[in-house]
Amino acid sequence: MNSRWSDYEAAEFVARFGDKWGEALALRTYSSRLLGLEKDLVLHGGGNTSVKATWRNILGDEIPALFVKASGADLATIEPEGHCGLDLAYLKRLRQIAELSDEEMLEELRTHRLWSSGPDPSIEALVHAFLPHKFVDHTHADAVLALTNRVGGEQLVRQVFGDEVIILPYITPGLKLAKACAEALESFPTARGMVWMHHGIVTWGATARESYEAMIELVTRAEGEVAARARGPHGRAPAPKAPTPPSETVLSAATCDARIAEISPVLRGLLAHPTGDPDHPYQKVVLKWLCTPEVLEILAMPGAKEALVTPVLTSDHLIRTKALPLWVEELPQGDQGTIREHLQRTIDGYRNNYLAYLGRYQMLMPRGVQPFAPEPRVVMIPGLGVACAGEDLRSAVIAQDITLHTLRVKRSIVLAGSRYEGLPEEELFRMEYRSLQHAKLKREDESAKPTSSGAELLKGHVAVVTGAAGAIGAGICEALLRAGCLVAATDLPGERLDALVADYQARFGEKILGIPMDVTDPASVKAGFAEVVCAWGGIDLVVPNAGIAAVGSLAELSLEKFRRLEQVNVEGTLFVLAEAARLFRAQGTGGDVVVISTKNVFSPGAGFGAYSATKAAAHQLARVASLELAADGVRVNMVSPDAVFGHGARRSGLWQEVGPERMRVRGLDEAGLEAYYQNRNLLKARVTAEHVANAVLFFATRQTPTTGATIPVDGGLPDATPR
């Protein structure tokens, strides 16, 4: 690990933040970000940093202050205000207190913030207050945990660092740990840092650079020791393993993807937690897989189960991954039913063990803290990979990142010929159900929510939208993304789809996935759905929207043109419905389909026979699907819009096709044609893609127990009223 410190960059931070926050906090922010850039040091809000400075209050008094990282803040992106300002003199006085509950400690910290709107400080704020140094850094460095989390770890740490580092046994974070740190440093004032067993490492310094580079130097030393031990006692790599039997070989990338596409819906369904709500019967999860050659090799190493089905590296990870992963013995070959039975038994066993664990320590459960769902967050399947589950994409990615680092640390311990040693079960429970940790999760969840109306209604849900690059499709995708849904935007490959995905990724990040798909090709549809499943685990909502139009009287309509519309509008809808039905059945947790129909189903127009007939056929397929899929908990509904000309800069493909002829017949320009359609409906309403999207959301969020119904989105057209 190399120092990333740059005097030029440090000066830029001082120039940017110094006037408002002072030079010390500006440099604290800079070095905190340097630490946050190293995933081998901290992950997703882990670790904490502080600086001691002065603060001028409204009376002009200069008071000693501690600026410590806010709970859950990300060091990689932290701003100065991400360090909570606290009254340092008062915090130091807390050292004389014998005990503080979490609630008491949090109250003392909150009531002695320098500004009332400041964030809650780190759980280790008192450690930073009691240590005398100006700058203090704390990380959960992988290399340090690889030394501490093994049999004989304390002796190994002492061997690596000698008297430069103080070693403390694991102590529950809070007042007790803070007092132990202060007392230990007073006994060894020349120490450069401190290692907390099963927890992490602390360094300090008179300057931001000194503290930061002490961290880098000590962790680098630990990395060297871990690497040397992983090479064996004589500095050589272990002898290669004997070839594994064919049934245990690592799958090829293509085969692995195909197997994940087959298994993920089943696994995702079994990991969904029942809620008891008939309209929203399951708390859905998103799956992120680790299936690289590195991970597959770790799962295949001798003694992998004994080494990997062990507690987390540090208690900070508990609320992300649970204490233990689930290990699935070799999956049987066969159909999804056979696989489901095998996974069901394994997951039921984990669930029962977790409920028993809750029962053993329920007297330690803080008031107001609710138990986590008993399903596993990390599922290890040798030969296939590791599935990491979360209630939304963010939490699944966090679990995935933590799991990857955990696998690497545990492998290094196995290669060294040692045995992993984690925290005892009771301590794991205390930290998993610590009220401060649950409060951190709640704050993170609140801060991650979009601010738009209807935000998070579809959190953890996965949607597939066909014809996404058109006006209505784009509007639906945007509305679903705003509601917290993950959206697979599918359309024919090309610039329109690429532009849509680039636009929405800039606003919604990785919550949108662009998938080229031709709905007239069953293989393309199957491959597109499989890509969604590999990315996020399964599907919850399908919006068949792809459609094309043509103008021409029945007498003039060519069979070739009619068949082209029939392929897209009818066969395309059929193929999408069929693939969605198979996936919904595999998941076993229900779902929704909302077919974008048209007012022409109920009120066809002259010269528009091919479109009206083929869309009517698609509409009828949806009605049949509502009958066939109800037993699987799937609701199928329709939305029938009229005259949607565009969505922002995206123009409707349908109206680009039929608009010129309509304008010619009526002697209107484009604006006049839009006005004509607006004025012909009862409400004189301009129908937009947002209106169509709102109707989709009505069905997708299950506002009423409805299936087989149609919502007209047309401003009121009596002839088009569903009947």
Side-chain angles (χ1 to χ4, degrees), residues 480-498:
L480 292 174
L481 289 164
R482 290 186 184 280
C485 196
L486 301 179
V487 176
T490 75
D491 212 312
L492 293 173
E495 189 276 333
R496 295 180 75 215
L497 178 60
D498 294 344

PDB file of all heavy atoms in Angstrom, residues 480-498:
ATOM      1  N   LEU A 480     -40.542   4.727 -12.785  1.00  0.00           N
ATOM      2  CA  LEU A 480     -40.160   3.566 -11.982  1.00  0.00           C
ATOM      3  C   LEU A 480     -38.863   3.820 -11.223  1.00  0.00           C
ATOM      4  O   LEU A 480     -38.723   3.453 -10.056  1.00  0.00           O
ATOM      5  CB  LEU A 480     -40.018   2.339 -12.877  1.00  0.00           C
ATOM      6  CG  LEU A 480     -41.316   1.810 -13.507  1.00  0.00           C
ATOM      7  CD1 LEU A 480     -41.007   0.689 -14.489  1.00  0.00           C
ATOM      8  CD2 LEU A 480     -42.286   1.325 -12.442  1.00  0.00           C
ATOM      9  N   LEU A 481     -37.908   4.451 -11.873  1.00  0.00           N
ATOM     10  CA  LEU A 481     -36.648   4.775 -11.210  1.00  0.00           C
ATOM     11  C   LEU A 481     -36.878   5.726 -10.042  1.00  0.00           C
ATOM     12  O   LEU A 481     -36.288   5.574  -8.968  1.00  0.00           O
ATOM     13  CB  LEU A 481     -35.672   5.392 -12.217  1.00  0.00           C
ATOM     14  CG  LEU A 481     -35.098   4.422 -13.254  1.00  0.00           C
ATOM     15  CD1 LEU A 481     -34.479   5.185 -14.414  1.00  0.00           C
ATOM     16  CD2 LEU A 481     -34.059   3.501 -12.611  1.00  0.00           C
ATOM     17  N   ARG A 482     -37.744   6.696 -10.229  1.00  0.00           N
ATOM     18  CA  ARG A 482     -38.044   7.634  -9.147  1.00  0.00           C
ATOM     19  C   ARG A 482     -38.731   6.933  -7.974  1.00  0.00           C
ATOM     20  O   ARG A 482     -38.619   7.376  -6.830  1.00  0.00           O
ATOM     21  CB  ARG A 482     -38.929   8.773  -9.666  1.00  0.00           C
ATOM     22  CG  ARG A 482     -38.227   9.732 -10.607  1.00  0.00           C
ATOM     23  CD  ARG A 482     -39.126  10.903 -10.958  1.00  0.00           C
ATOM     24  NE  ARG A 482     -38.516  11.788 -11.925  1.00  0.00           N
ATOM     25  CZ  ARG A 482     -37.596  12.717 -11.634  1.00  0.00           C
ATOM     26  NH1 ARG A 482     -37.192  12.868 -10.382  1.00  0.00           N
ATOM     27  NH2 ARG A 482     -37.081  13.482 -12.573  1.00  0.00           N
ATOM     28  N   ALA A 483     -39.407   5.847  -8.262  1.00  0.00           N
ATOM     29  CA  ALA A 483     -40.087   5.092  -7.207  1.00  0.00           C
ATOM     30  C   ALA A 483     -39.169   4.087  -6.525  1.00  0.00           C
ATOM     31  O   ALA A 483     -39.630   3.293  -5.711  1.00  0.00           O
ATOM     32  CB  ALA A 483     -41.304   4.376  -7.788  1.00  0.00           C
ATOM     33  N   GLY A 484     -37.879   4.121  -6.858  1.00  0.00           N
ATOM     34  CA  GLY A 484     -36.922   3.242  -6.207  1.00  0.00           C
ATOM     35  C   GLY A 484     -36.732   1.905  -6.883  1.00  0.00           C
ATOM     36  O   GLY A 484     -36.034   1.035  -6.354  1.00  0.00           O
ATOM     37  N   CYS A 485     -37.330   1.704  -8.046  1.00  0.00           N
ATOM     38  CA  CYS A 485     -37.256   0.430  -8.757  1.00  0.00           C
ATOM     39  C   CYS A 485     -35.944   0.324  -9.533  1.00  0.00           C
ATOM     40  O   CYS A 485     -35.387   1.332  -9.981  1.00  0.00           O
ATOM     41  CB  CYS A 485     -38.433   0.339  -9.724  1.00  0.00           C
ATOM     42  SG  CYS A 485     -38.782  -1.314 -10.343  1.00  0.00           S
ATOM     43  N   LEU A 486     -35.453  -0.897  -9.693  1.00  0.00           N
ATOM     44  CA  LEU A 486     -34.371  -1.164 -10.634  1.00  0.00           C
ATOM     45  C   LEU A 486     -35.013  -1.443 -11.983  1.00  0.00           C
ATOM     46  O   LEU A 486     -35.978  -2.205 -12.065  1.00  0.00           O
ATOM     47  CB  LEU A 486     -33.553  -2.372 -10.183  1.00  0.00           C
ATOM     48  CG  LEU A 486     -32.910  -2.270  -8.802  1.00  0.00           C
ATOM     49  CD1 LEU A 486     -32.148  -3.549  -8.479  1.00  0.00           C
ATOM     50  CD2 LEU A 486     -31.996  -1.076  -8.701  1.00  0.00           C
ATOM     51  N   VAL A 487     -34.489  -0.828 -13.032  1.00  0.00           N
ATOM     52  CA  VAL A 487     -35.157  -0.884 -14.331  1.00  0.00           C
ATOM     53  C   VAL A 487     -34.218  -1.419 -15.404  1.00  0.00           C
ATOM     54  O   VAL A 487     -33.128  -0.872 -15.619  1.00  0.00           O
ATOM     55  CB  VAL A 487     -35.665   0.508 -14.744  1.00  0.00           C
ATOM     56  CG1 VAL A 487     -36.279   0.458 -16.142  1.00  0.00           C
ATOM     57  CG2 VAL A 487     -36.696   1.020 -13.734  1.00  0.00           C
ATOM     58  N   ALA A 488     -34.647  -2.485 -16.057  1.00  0.00           N
ATOM     59  CA  ALA A 488     -33.975  -2.975 -17.249  1.00  0.00           C
ATOM     60  C   ALA A 488     -34.706  -2.395 -18.451  1.00  0.00           C
ATOM     61  O   ALA A 488     -35.847  -2.776 -18.738  1.00  0.00           O
ATOM     62  CB  ALA A 488     -33.996  -4.499 -17.288  1.00  0.00           C
ATOM     63  N   ALA A 489     -34.064  -1.426 -19.102  1.00  0.00           N
ATOM     64  CA  ALA A 489     -34.652  -0.772 -20.274  1.00  0.00           C
ATOM     65  C   ALA A 489     -34.249  -1.561 -21.510  1.00  0.00           C
ATOM     66  O   ALA A 489     -33.062  -1.636 -21.844  1.00  0.00           O
ATOM     67  CB  ALA A 489     -34.160   0.666 -20.365  1.00  0.00           C
ATOM     68  N   THR A 490     -35.233  -2.151 -22.191  1.00  0.00           N
ATOM     69  CA  THR A 490     -34.924  -2.979 -23.354  1.00  0.00           C
ATOM     70  C   THR A 490     -35.520  -2.359 -24.606  1.00  0.00           C
ATOM     71  O   THR A 490     -36.594  -1.758 -24.586  1.00  0.00           O
ATOM     72  CB  THR A 490     -35.468  -4.408 -23.184  1.00  0.00           C
ATOM     73  OG1 THR A 490     -36.894  -4.404 -23.384  1.00  0.00           O
ATOM     74  CG2 THR A 490     -35.165  -4.947 -21.789  1.00  0.00           C
ATOM     75  N   ASP A 491     -34.791  -2.510 -25.695  1.00  0.00           N
ATOM     76  CA  ASP A 491     -35.234  -2.019 -27.003  1.00  0.00           C
ATOM     77  C   ASP A 491     -34.260  -2.573 -28.028  1.00  0.00           C
ATOM     78  O   ASP A 491     -33.275  -3.235 -27.670  1.00  0.00           O
ATOM     79  CB  ASP A 491     -35.268  -0.488 -27.038  1.00  0.00           C
ATOM     80  CG  ASP A 491     -36.375   0.046 -27.957  1.00  0.00           C
ATOM     81  OD1 ASP A 491     -36.470  -0.457 -29.093  1.00  0.00           O
ATOM     82  OD2 ASP A 491     -37.123   0.946 -27.541  1.00  0.00           O
ATOM     83  N   LEU A 492     -34.525  -2.296 -29.294  1.00  0.00           N
ATOM     84  CA  LEU A 492     -33.582  -2.696 -30.328  1.00  0.00           C
ATOM     85  C   LEU A 492     -32.253  -1.978 -30.105  1.00  0.00           C
ATOM     86  O   LEU A 492     -32.230  -0.840 -29.618  1.00  0.00           O
ATOM     87  CB  LEU A 492     -34.132  -2.360 -31.710  1.00  0.00           C
ATOM     88  CG  LEU A 492     -35.377  -3.146 -32.148  1.00  0.00           C
ATOM     89  CD1 LEU A 492     -35.915  -2.602 -33.463  1.00  0.00           C
ATOM     90  CD2 LEU A 492     -35.054  -4.634 -32.278  1.00  0.00           C
ATOM     91  N   PRO A 493     -31.143  -2.624 -30.409  1.00  0.00           N
ATOM     92  CA  PRO A 493     -29.852  -1.970 -30.192  1.00  0.00           C
ATOM     93  C   PRO A 493     -29.721  -0.727 -31.073  1.00  0.00           C
ATOM     94  O   PRO A 493     -30.272  -0.660 -32.175  1.00  0.00           O
ATOM     95  CB  PRO A 493     -28.839  -3.046 -30.593  1.00  0.00           C
ATOM     96  CG  PRO A 493     -29.588  -3.975 -31.500  1.00  0.00           C
ATOM     97  CD  PRO A 493     -31.000  -3.967 -31.014  1.00  0.00           C
ATOM     98  N   GLY A 494     -29.007   0.265 -30.559  1.00  0.00           N
ATOM     99  CA  GLY A 494     -28.810   1.471 -31.348  1.00  0.00           C
ATOM    100  C   GLY A 494     -28.698   2.716 -30.495  1.00  0.00           C
ATOM    101  O   GLY A 494     -28.736   2.677 -29.260  1.00  0.00           O
ATOM    102  N   GLU A 495     -28.597   3.827 -31.184  1.00  0.00           N
ATOM    103  CA  GLU A 495     -28.337   5.108 -30.523  1.00  0.00           C
ATOM    104  C   GLU A 495     -29.458   5.515 -29.584  1.00  0.00           C
ATOM    105  O   GLU A 495     -29.200   6.095 -28.518  1.00  0.00           O
ATOM    106  CB  GLU A 495     -28.116   6.190 -31.594  1.00  0.00           C
ATOM    107  CG  GLU A 495     -27.636   7.526 -31.060  1.00  0.00           C
ATOM    108  CD  GLU A 495     -28.783   8.407 -30.571  1.00  0.00           C
ATOM    109  OE1 GLU A 495     -29.904   8.235 -31.091  1.00  0.00           O
ATOM    110  OE2 GLU A 495     -28.540   9.252 -29.678  1.00  0.00           O
ATOM    111  N   ARG A 496     -30.714   5.216 -29.921  1.00  0.00           N
ATOM    112  CA  ARG A 496     -31.829   5.657 -29.071  1.00  0.00           C
ATOM    113  C   ARG A 496     -31.766   4.990 -27.699  1.00  0.00           C
ATOM    114  O   ARG A 496     -31.947   5.646 -26.670  1.00  0.00           O
ATOM    115  CB  ARG A 496     -33.171   5.355 -29.745  1.00  0.00           C
ATOM    116  CG  ARG A 496     -33.415   6.138 -31.035  1.00  0.00           C
ATOM    117  CD  ARG A 496     -34.767   5.792 -31.637  1.00  0.00           C
ATOM    118  NE  ARG A 496     -35.861   6.406 -30.910  1.00  0.00           N
ATOM    119  CZ  ARG A 496     -37.058   5.845 -30.714  1.00  0.00           C
ATOM    120  NH1 ARG A 496     -37.284   4.620 -31.162  1.00  0.00           N
ATOM    121  NH2 ARG A 496     -38.014   6.476 -30.067  1.00  0.00           N
ATOM    122  N   LEU A 497     -31.513   3.685 -27.680  1.00  0.00           N
ATOM    123  CA  LEU A 497     -31.404   2.990 -26.399  1.00  0.00           C
ATOM    124  C   LEU A 497     -30.166   3.461 -25.642  1.00  0.00           C
ATOM    125  O   LEU A 497     -30.222   3.712 -24.426  1.00  0.00           O
ATOM    126  CB  LEU A 497     -31.352   1.480 -26.619  1.00  0.00           C
ATOM    127  CG  LEU A 497     -31.201   0.619 -25.356  1.00  0.00           C
ATOM    128  CD1 LEU A 497     -32.359   0.851 -24.399  1.00  0.00           C
ATOM    129  CD2 LEU A 497     -31.087  -0.864 -25.728  1.00  0.00           C
ATOM    130  N   ASP A 498     -29.050   3.593 -26.340  1.00  0.00           N
ATOM    131  CA  ASP A 498     -27.814   4.039 -25.693  1.00  0.00           C
ATOM    132  C   ASP A 498     -27.993   5.417 -25.073  1.00  0.00           C
ATOM    133  O   ASP A 498     -27.528   5.671 -23.952  1.00  0.00           O
ATOM    134  CB  ASP A 498     -26.667   4.070 -26.708  1.00  0.00           C
ATOM    135  CG  ASP A 498     -26.300   2.684 -27.223  1.00  0.00           C
ATOM    136  OD1 ASP A 498     -26.703   1.692 -26.588  1.00  0.00           O
ATOM    137  OD2 ASP A 498     -25.630   2.605 -28.270  1.00  0.00           O
TER     138      ASP A 498
END
